[in-house]
Amino acid sequence: MNPLNHVAIIMDGNGRWGLKNKNSRNAGHKAGLITVEKIIKATLKNNIRYLTLYAFSTENWKRPKKEINFLFNLLENFLTNRIDELHKQNIKLQIIGVKNFSSKLNSLLRLAEKKTYKNGKLQINLALNYGSKFELMSAFKILKKKKEKISEKNLRKYLQTKDIPDPDILIRTGNTKRLSNFLLWQLAYSEIFFERKLWPEFNEKDYNKIIKKFKNIKRNYGNI
Ligand code: IPE
Ligand code: IPE
Ligand code: MG
C-alpha cells in the first residue's frame, strides 16, 4: 500500500454548478466553500499530513471584478470565522502564491499563518494568486542572483513548497483535464485523478474512493 502524505486539489466547477443550480456563478463559489470544509474534515480523518488547495490562479485576475471581489470576500469571512477552529484542530495554514490583495486580506492571511505556524496535525497550503510558471521563474532568478549552481536540490530551496513532499495525488474536479499552471514541477510523479463532478458536488465518499484507488497503484518512478 502506498503511503499518502500530500493531496493537491484543483477545485474546479463552482461557476458552472452555480449557474446551473442557482443562476449565479457566485452562488457556486459559496457552495464550493462547504465542500472545502468537508474535504478538510475528511483529510484529518485520513491522517494526511499535507493538503494543497488551488483557490485562485495568477490567470484568474482576468475574471470580472464582481466575481473576484466576491471570492475574496468569501475568503475574508472564512478566515475571520474559522481560523480559531482550524487552530484548535492543530491545523497549520500556509499561503502559496503572492499576497498582493487588499491590505485587510493580506493582514488576515498573515495573521492566520502566524497563529497556526506551530501546528502539526495537518498543513493546508492555500494557493492564492499562485502560478507555477511565476514560482519557477522566481526560483531561477534567485539561483542566478546568488550565483548558485542550477540543480534540482538548489531549485527546490526556492519553491514555495520547499519544506514539504511533492503531492502523491492530484485531484481536479469539474470534468476538465488540464493543469492550469498548478505545481508543474511538484506534480512530476503525482497520481492524477480527473473527476467529472463539479467541486460543489464532490464529497467525502468520492474523496475516499480516490484515496483507496491510489493506495493500490504501482508507482514506478521510471523503474519496473
Ligand atoms: C472554481 O471554479 C475555481 C476558481 C477559480 C475559484 P470555477 O469558478 O473555475 O468554475 P467553472 O470552471 O467556471 O465552472
Ligand atoms: C483553475 O481553474 C484554478 C483554480 C481552481 C483556482 P480555472 O477554472 O481558472 O482554470 P481554467 O482557466 O479553466 O484552465
Ligand atoms: Mg474553471
Side-chain angles (χ1 to χ4, degrees), residues 6-9 11 49-55 91-97 113 122-128 160-165 167 182-183:
H6 186 177
V7 176
I9 307 181
M11 309 182 289
R49 188 65 186 76
Y50 302 97
L51 174 67
T52 301
L53 300 173
Y54 204 8
I91 293 173
K92 173 175 175 173
L93 187 72
Q94 285 277 296
I95 308 305
I96 62 169
E113 287 185 313
L122 165 66
Q123 177 172 331
I124 298 175
N125 304 304
L126 193 59
L128 279 180
Q160 298 201 292
T161 52
K162 61 180 174 344
D163 301 318
I164 65 176
F182 189 46
L183 302 174

Side-chain angles (χ1 to χ4, degrees), residues 11-17 25 29 55-56 60 63 67 71:
M11 309 182 289
D12 195 24
N14 287 349
R16 278 165 285 162
W17 186 91
R25 288 184 52 86
H29 293 309
F56 195 86
N60 286 145
R63 295 188 179 202
E67 180 165 339
L71 271 168

Side-chain angles (χ1 to χ4, degrees), residues 190-204:
S190 308
E191 305 300 332
I192 301 183
F193 295 83
F194 292 111
E195 259 284 333
R196 271 224 188 81
K197 281 192 182 179
L198 304 170
W199 179 247
E201 300 165 337
F202 189 69
N203 60 37
E204 182 173 356

